[in-house]
Amino acid sequence: MSVITITGAGMMGSAMSVPASDNGHEVRIVGTPLDRDIIDRAKKDGYHLTLQQKLPCGIRYYQPEELTEALDDCDLLIGGVSSFGVEWFGNEVLPKIPKSLPVLSITKGLHARPDGSMCAFPDYLSSKPGCAGLSLNAVGGPCISFELAQRHHTLVAFCGHDPATLTHIRQLLATDYYHIDLSEDVLGIETAVAMKNAYALGVSLAIGLAEAKSSAGCPEEYNPQAALFAQSTREIYRLLSLLGCDTYETLYGAGDLYVTVFGGRTRRLGILLGSGLTFLQASEKLKGTTLESVAITKTVACALMKLERDGRADTKQFPLLMHIYRLICGETTAMPPWEAFI
């Protein structure tokens, strides 16, 4: 039996406790400063407020000030924060762990450098003070948190720079329902799955546009959605090529895009924008919701524009992404630039 500590008590981080617990490991979940209510409730009876279900018996729960205790004799650290918690994770958690402790991050996103070049979060975190030399790995691929928590069949990829470490982590977490591929293409996997948040917003515009013509809840129009889905995967492929990654990883982005379009906050935002609301109006309706689709859109679109000024990229190769960016900035309407896709 190993000890697995999960930092971040959000839905996906907490869902990872299910395969870890099913494999007989001791599991500890540490909340961030934003997770206090979740941890307080889970300490009582194991019920998770946002997953809306009980987690396996035997899991131990900790508030952020109890982090040191939760890390004691830990064999694997899972980073369960959103992209907005990356700085907290890199500043408050990683410097406190031994170099021998492997880390598996579920956070999806990219970091853009001042010159427009981009790197995956694991590589960005390794550059922070106190983090050099850590084994930082990540999860990519289609996975809805509550479905994993309910033990639905799920296939993802663990990526990292050391095959032996990846194999070890897979042995800790793989189950008969949690299936794990391995890849050393960290930037490729992380780019593909991070972009799904931006493009899920784009695909969902078609749902809102259909509702604007008819009414909310009207039958969905699948031709426009499929066309936007295809353009999304085309642009993910182009971005991977631009970054020098294996374009095969586009498949993980496509799978993740598929599940994201079917529900969640990104879909809701896309529908609201497609129905005619401005970004400010839609944001007000989704007040209190973490909008990772907006963060990744702005990060990558701005990076591409910097690269374009240096002659290293062409934003015309990413018409859907740039359309989403301009829509968020209030510079265009929801109707996609269909002819630009040809």
Short mmCIF file of all heavy atoms in Angstrom, two decimals, residues 108 141-144 147 196 229 254-264:
data_model
loop_
_atom_site.label_atom_id
_atom_site.label_comp_id
_atom_site.label_asym_id
_atom_site.label_seq_id
_atom_site.Cartn_x
_atom_site.Cartn_y
_atom_site.Cartn_z
N LYS A 108 -5.02 21.70 -16.43
CA LYS A 108 -4.94 21.89 -17.87
C LYS A 108 -4.72 23.36 -18.19
O LYS A 108 -5.47 24.22 -17.75
CB LYS A 108 -6.20 21.37 -18.54
CG LYS A 108 -6.38 19.86 -18.39
CD LYS A 108 -7.65 19.36 -19.01
CE LYS A 108 -7.76 17.83 -18.84
NZ LYS A 108 -9.01 17.29 -19.37
N GLY A 141 -6.36 14.08 -21.50
CA GLY A 141 -7.31 13.20 -22.15
C GLY A 141 -8.73 13.40 -21.65
O GLY A 141 -8.96 14.12 -20.68
N PRO A 142 -9.69 12.76 -22.31
CA PRO A 142 -11.10 12.98 -21.98
C PRO A 142 -11.50 12.34 -20.65
O PRO A 142 -11.43 11.12 -20.49
CB PRO A 142 -11.85 12.32 -23.15
CG PRO A 142 -10.88 11.30 -23.67
CD PRO A 142 -9.52 11.87 -23.45
N CYS A 143 -11.90 13.16 -19.71
CA CYS A 143 -12.30 12.64 -18.40
C CYS A 143 -13.21 13.64 -17.71
O CYS A 143 -12.77 14.75 -17.36
CB CYS A 143 -11.07 12.36 -17.53
SG CYS A 143 -11.47 11.71 -15.90
N ILE A 144 -14.46 13.28 -17.52
CA ILE A 144 -15.39 14.08 -16.72
C ILE A 144 -15.28 13.60 -15.29
O ILE A 144 -15.37 12.40 -15.02
CB ILE A 144 -16.83 13.94 -17.24
CG1 ILE A 144 -16.92 14.46 -18.69
CG2 ILE A 144 -17.81 14.69 -16.35
CD1 ILE A 144 -18.27 14.25 -19.33
N GLU A 147 -17.92 11.29 -13.68
CA GLU A 147 -17.98 9.96 -14.28
C GLU A 147 -16.84 9.09 -13.78
O GLU A 147 -17.02 7.89 -13.54
CB GLU A 147 -17.96 10.06 -15.81
CG GLU A 147 -19.23 10.63 -16.40
CD GLU A 147 -19.43 10.23 -17.85
OE1 GLU A 147 -18.74 9.31 -18.32
OE2 GLU A 147 -20.29 10.85 -18.50
N LYS A 196 -8.81 22.29 -25.56
CA LYS A 196 -10.21 21.83 -25.66
C LYS A 196 -11.15 22.80 -24.95
O LYS A 196 -12.31 22.94 -25.35
CB LYS A 196 -10.34 20.42 -25.09
CG LYS A 196 -10.03 20.29 -23.60
CD LYS A 196 -11.25 20.36 -22.71
CE LYS A 196 -10.86 20.23 -21.24
NZ LYS A 196 -12.01 20.15 -20.35
N PHE A 229 -16.39 21.61 -34.68
CA PHE A 229 -15.57 20.57 -34.04
C PHE A 229 -14.39 20.22 -34.95
O PHE A 229 -13.24 20.13 -34.51
CB PHE A 229 -16.41 19.33 -33.75
CG PHE A 229 -15.72 18.29 -32.92
CD1 PHE A 229 -15.98 18.19 -31.56
CD2 PHE A 229 -14.80 17.40 -33.48
CE1 PHE A 229 -15.33 17.24 -30.78
CE2 PHE A 229 -14.15 16.45 -32.72
CZ PHE A 229 -14.42 16.37 -31.35
N ALA A 254 -9.01 16.03 -29.14
CA ALA A 254 -10.32 15.79 -29.76
C ALA A 254 -11.24 15.04 -28.80
O ALA A 254 -12.43 15.36 -28.67
CB ALA A 254 -10.16 15.01 -31.06
N GLY A 255 -10.70 14.03 -28.13
CA GLY A 255 -11.51 13.29 -27.17
C GLY A 255 -11.97 14.17 -26.02
O GLY A 255 -13.13 14.12 -25.59
N ASP A 256 -11.05 14.99 -25.51
CA ASP A 256 -11.39 15.89 -24.41
C ASP A 256 -12.40 16.94 -24.86
O ASP A 256 -13.31 17.33 -24.12
CB ASP A 256 -10.11 16.57 -23.89
CG ASP A 256 -10.13 16.76 -22.39
OD1 ASP A 256 -11.21 16.63 -21.79
OD2 ASP A 256 -9.07 17.02 -21.81
N LEU A 257 -12.25 17.41 -26.10
CA LEU A 257 -13.20 18.37 -26.65
C LEU A 257 -14.60 17.75 -26.72
O LEU A 257 -15.60 18.40 -26.40
CB LEU A 257 -12.73 18.81 -28.04
CG LEU A 257 -13.65 19.72 -28.84
CD1 LEU A 257 -13.90 21.03 -28.11
CD2 LEU A 257 -13.04 19.99 -30.23
N TYR A 258 -14.66 16.50 -27.12
CA TYR A 258 -15.95 15.81 -27.26
C TYR A 258 -16.73 15.82 -25.94
O TYR A 258 -17.91 16.18 -25.91
CB TYR A 258 -15.70 14.38 -27.73
CG TYR A 258 -16.94 13.55 -27.93
CD1 TYR A 258 -17.64 13.58 -29.13
CD2 TYR A 258 -17.41 12.70 -26.91
CE1 TYR A 258 -18.78 12.81 -29.31
CE2 TYR A 258 -18.55 11.94 -27.10
CZ TYR A 258 -19.23 12.00 -28.29
OH TYR A 258 -20.36 11.24 -28.46
N VAL A 259 -16.08 15.42 -24.85
CA VAL A 259 -16.82 15.35 -23.59
C VAL A 259 -17.15 16.73 -23.05
O VAL A 259 -18.18 16.92 -22.39
CB VAL A 259 -16.05 14.54 -22.51
CG1 VAL A 259 -15.87 13.11 -22.93
CG2 VAL A 259 -14.70 15.18 -22.18
N THR A 260 -16.30 17.72 -23.34
CA THR A 260 -16.51 19.06 -22.79
C THR A 260 -17.69 19.76 -23.46
O THR A 260 -18.41 20.53 -22.82
CB THR A 260 -15.23 19.91 -22.94
OG1 THR A 260 -14.15 19.21 -22.34
CG2 THR A 260 -15.37 21.25 -22.24
N VAL A 261 -17.90 19.47 -24.74
CA VAL A 261 -19.02 20.10 -25.45
C VAL A 261 -20.36 19.64 -24.89
O VAL A 261 -21.36 20.36 -24.99
CB VAL A 261 -18.92 19.79 -26.96
CG1 VAL A 261 -20.20 20.18 -27.69
CG2 VAL A 261 -17.73 20.51 -27.57
N PHE A 262 -20.39 18.48 -24.26
CA PHE A 262 -21.67 17.92 -23.80
C PHE A 262 -22.16 18.50 -22.47
O PHE A 262 -23.28 18.22 -22.06
CB PHE A 262 -21.57 16.39 -23.69
CG PHE A 262 -21.78 15.71 -25.01
CD1 PHE A 262 -20.71 15.28 -25.76
CD2 PHE A 262 -23.06 15.53 -25.52
CE1 PHE A 262 -20.89 14.66 -26.99
CE2 PHE A 262 -23.26 14.92 -26.74
CZ PHE A 262 -22.17 14.48 -27.49
N GLY A 263 -21.35 19.28 -21.79
CA GLY A 263 -21.85 19.82 -20.54
C GLY A 263 -20.81 20.67 -19.84
O GLY A 263 -19.66 20.75 -20.25
N GLY A 264 -21.25 21.34 -18.78
CA GLY A 264 -20.33 22.12 -17.97
C GLY A 264 -20.34 23.60 -18.28
O GLY A 264 -21.08 24.09 -19.14
#
